[in-house]
Amino acid sequence: MKLLSILITITFVNVSPIMTGEYANSVKKTNKHIREASIKNPKGLETVISNIINGDKTFETLNFMLAIPDKANFRFTIQHEESFITNLPENIAIADQKAVQEAIFQVTGIPVPNLRCNENYENDRRTLSWLGDSRRMYLSFVTQNVLTDAIDKGTPGFTNLKEICILIGLLRSMRFPDSYIKIARVDQDDNVCMLISQNGRFHYKPYDGYIAAARPMGRPVYNEHEDVLNEAMRWFH
């Protein structure tokens, strides 16, 4: 009977989200910080994005930090040891949002804004979705500018293809958050950026002095090697 009780408890915590309104508030605070930086120091904000993506974070973490904070739905899993109780996934998610705030402050000197009394949010799906849309609205054009600079910097050899690949992956997640990119990596043998979402694969590679979205040969498209900057402009305009 005791064992049955333990199993029922494990099953319950394994399917129940543990996020609270504190995470939603951390996303809102980061959004306000990003918005202030975009107004007061837009070039500085571009530097912030560049610094973050060239750090030691995994692509999955970068996605939640910058592109899809509303998709963070951490749960308990039975694979974790007891020590996991003192290091909840929600704390990690909040820490990632605070890392964005710290990166903005370090570059721009703009302090982290406070939330007003009427800006405290519950962590429900509708609230997080709205906050995620706001994040993507603030950062999509900034990230496009960072991508343009990275491509200019990398021409013609594109030794920074990994950086470019991460930026393209983030932009795709911003444009298509419901089918966001899960993996962004460079195939060193073919020198190709490979992006993988839950419903598709996308390849980008250096081609004739620019980064091209590589289409399957024989596919009836107007341009089998479309410049990724033209593709991104179409996404957000």
Side-chain angles (χ1 to χ4, degrees):
M1 190 66 167
K2 184 177 179 181
L3 177 59
L4 178 60
S5 176
I6 292 173
L7 290 175
I8 291 172
T9 303
I10 290 175
T11 303
F12 176 76
V13 297
N14 195 39
V15 299
S16 299
I18 61 172
M19 290 292 194
T20 68
E22 187 178 355
Y23 176 67
N25 287 334
S26 73
V27 175
K28 173 61 177 178
K29 187 176 289 189
T30 307
N31 282 359
K32 290 186 69 173
H33 207 186
I34 289 170
R35 184 174 182 274
E36 285 192 29
S38 69
I39 294 171
K40 298 176 180 178
N41 192 344
K43 279 297 181 183
L45 184 56
E46 292 177 18
T47 300
V48 169
I49 301 305
S50 183
N51 289 348
I52 290 174
I53 68 164
N54 285 301
D56 58 358
K57 303 290 187 182
T58 65
F59 181 78
E60 182 181 29
T61 299
L62 293 173
N63 241 349
F64 292 133
M65 289 174 70
L66 300 172
I68 51 169
D70 49 318
K71 302 301 181 183
N73 187 19
F74 294 88
R75 302 168 186 270
F76 279 111
T77 63
I78 60 176
Q79 284 78 25
H80 290 87
E81 302 295 337
E82 268 189 17
S83 60
F84 175 67
I85 296 173
T86 64
N87 189 26
L88 298 178
E90 180 181 30
N91 291 349
I92 296 172
I94 292 172
D96 286 337
Q97 293 301 310
K98 289 182 176 179
V100 178
Q101 298 166 16
E102 178 63 22
I104 293 172
F105 176 72
Q106 289 293 334
V107 172
T108 68
I110 299 171
V112 181
N114 293 318
L115 297 182
R116 297 189 297 270
C117 293
N118 63 344
E119 289 183 308
N120 287 297
Y121 295 96
E122 295 298 325
N123 188 23
D124 57 62
R125 182 177 298 178
R126 185 174 60 181
T127 296
L128 277 180
S129 178
W130 174 73
L131 291 171
D133 287 343
S134 297
R135 175 70 56 87
R136 290 182 282 275
M137 180 182 69
Y138 295 144
L139 283 187
S140 58
F141 293 106
V142 177
T143 306
Q144 285 183 74
N145 290 339
V146 178
L147 174 61
T148 299
D149 290 344
I151 290 174
D152 288 344
K153 178 180 66 177
T155 306
F158 297 112
T159 57
N160 63 338
L161 186 59
K162 179 181 177 182
E163 175 187 17
I164 292 170
C165 189
I166 290 171
L167 288 165
I168 299 172
L170 289 174
L171 281 172
R172 285 203 74 102
S173 289
M174 291 176 187
R175 177 61 184 87
F176 309 104
D178 290 333
S179 57
Y180 61 86
I181 298 300
K182 292 185 173 182
I183 297 172
R185 66 180 179 87
V186 173
D187 185 323
Q188 299 293 345
D189 293 335
D190 295 328
N191 200 33
V192 173
C193 164
M194 303 177 63
L195 305 178
I196 302 173
S197 71
Q198 58 264 49
N199 61 359
R201 292 172 176 260
F202 311 92
H203 292 179
Y204 295 85
K205 64 180 181 179
Y207 179 81
D208 199 24
Y210 59 92
I211 300 296
R215 316 295 186 189
M217 294 301 294
R219 182 178 173 181
V221 295
Y222 175 72
N223 185 356
E224 289 183 346
H225 294 95
E226 182 181 14
D227 189 333
V228 68
L229 294 178
N230 292 339
E231 183 180 54
M233 186 175 294
R234 189 175 66 250
W235 288 343
F236 295 103
H237 289 274

